[in-house]
Amino acid sequence: MKTVGDSKLKEAFIEVHDLQTALSPTLLAALRLVSVEAGEYLVTQSDRLTHLFFLVQGKLQVENFDVNGAHIVFSFETDFSVIGDLELFSQAQRTLFSTVQAVTDALLLAAPIEVINNHALSDPAFLTFICRQLSNKLLNSSLLHANGVLTAEYKLRKFLLFKIKSEGELIELENREALAARLGISVRQLSRALAQLAAEGIIQFKNKSLRVTDRQRLSAIEGNQSG
């Protein structure tokens, strides 16, 4: 993690994400713009929380290793999102729940936890802001668990329809292990679902590049919700 000494860029991110309405002048002044390179770890599970991070550009992978050593991907975070909000009010001495790694080069605003403790935890605007972030994460988590009874093909179709909205019909996918974990299915199930959609002429894919060739048929997912 490196400090980016560009005050104008820092102020631009603060304005774009309207942080001046949620953070006090003291907290805004304490923010530091930092960068992480693709593949670099931002924080590691079980470390102490030293900063609250605001992701303002790029993509991060949030993952956890359980006690048995299994690798579980929780989510992929894109701008704008907060890293460290789940730990902020925990009773475990603010030990980090997850490891966060940069999928792409990323920029973040970092707020020292000491400043948060002294100037933010009694600030209604800041607490309202954090509650909204936690609410969004709870909603996303609930939707993920609700999808547990859905087939792999259904989940893949829904995911591709979502990606089309932001990327168009040519989509760059994560590696299959990460995507399968994100969808809550096995790599084998994912591979079968990709092969099935390709066999039906709905998609074409090679390595990490996928093109949706029949968006209308991709949307016809009513019969794939269970089973």
Side-chain angles (χ1 to χ4, degrees), residues 1-4 9-10 13 19 31-37 40-43 52-60 77 79-84 100-102 104-111:
M1 182 171 62
K2 298 179 180 178
T3 298
V4 179
L9 183 59
K10 169 187 164 181
F13 282 128
L19 291 178
L31 290 178
R32 182 166 56 103
L33 184 63
V34 299
S35 67
V36 288
E37 298 180 350
E40 182 179 352
Y41 287 93
L42 177 68
V43 295
L52 193 66
F53 294 98
F54 306 93
L55 176 62
V56 292
Q57 184 175 293
K59 184 177 184 180
L60 304 176
E77 300 293 334
D79 56 287
F80 175 80
S81 64
V82 180
I83 306 297
V100 180
Q101 184 180 23
T104 66
D105 292 349
L107 292 173
L108 306 98
L109 294 169

Side-chain angles (χ1 to χ4, degrees), residues 2-227:
K2 298 179 180 178
T3 298
V4 179
D6 188 333
S7 59
K8 289 185 178 180
L9 183 59
K10 169 187 164 181
E11 294 301 322
F13 282 128
I14 289 172
E15 183 174 352
V16 165
H17 297 292
D18 201 26
L19 291 178
Q20 65 274 13
T21 64
L23 309 184
S24 68
T26 300
L27 190 51
L28 288 172
L31 290 178
R32 182 166 56 103
L33 184 63
V34 299
S35 67
V36 288
E37 298 180 350
E40 182 179 352
Y41 287 93
L42 177 68
V43 295
T44 304
Q45 183 179 342
S46 299
D47 285 351
R48 291 295 303 275
L49 178 67
T50 61
H51 291 80
L52 193 66
F53 294 98
F54 306 93
L55 176 62
V56 292
Q57 184 175 293
K59 184 177 184 180
L60 304 176
Q61 176 177 292
V62 181
E63 59 188 13
N64 174 269
F65 291 88
D66 67 16
V67 293
N68 296 317
H71 180 225
I72 303 171
V73 176
F74 279 145
S75 65
F76 291 92
E77 300 293 334
T78 55
D79 56 287
F80 175 80
S81 64
V82 180
I83 306 297
D85 49 351
L86 293 175
E87 293 85 353
L88 195 57
F89 303 102
S90 74
Q91 298 301 311
Q93 297 182 333
R94 291 180 176 166
T95 299
L96 289 159
F97 300 146
S98 305
T99 293
V100 180
Q101 184 180 23
V103 177
T104 66
D105 292 349
L107 292 173
L108 306 98
L109 294 169
I113 201 65
E114 293 83 2
V115 180
I116 299 288
N117 288 338
N118 295 331
H119 300 282
L121 294 185
S122 60
D123 182 348
F126 174 80
L127 294 175
T128 299
F129 166 77
I130 291 296
C131 284
R132 287 173 180 162
Q133 300 301 314
L134 291 172
S135 176
N136 289 336
K137 290 184 177 180
L138 178 60
L139 175 60
N140 290 335
S141 176
S142 298
L143 292 175
L144 180 62
H145 286 293
N147 282 339
V149 297
L150 304 177
T151 66
E153 184 180 332
Y154 179 88
K155 293 178 181 180
L156 178 60
R157 286 175 180 247
K158 293 290 286 185
F159 172 76
L160 293 177
L161 289 169
F162 172 78
K163 294 287 282 186
I164 285 173
K165 294 179 181 178
S166 58
E167 298 185 21
E169 294 180 348
L170 181 61
I171 299 168
E172 293 296 318
L173 299 177
E174 298 99 8
N175 65 66
R176 293 198 184 188
E177 290 79 7
L179 179 56
R182 181 177 185 179
L183 297 178
I185 60 180
S186 69
V187 175
R188 180 177 296 181
Q189 288 174 315
L190 173 60
S191 296
R192 281 202 302 260
L194 286 167
Q196 181 62 35
L197 293 182
E200 294 176 13
I202 295 173
I203 65 170
Q204 296 174 344
F205 71 93
K206 183 177 181 181
N207 298 325
K208 293 184 180 181
S209 294
L210 181 149
R211 181 180 295 277
V212 175
T213 54
D214 194 331
R215 185 171 179 174
Q216 184 174 356
R217 290 175 62 204
L218 181 67
S219 302
I221 55 180
E222 290 79 3
N224 298 281
Q225 294 185 30
S226 62

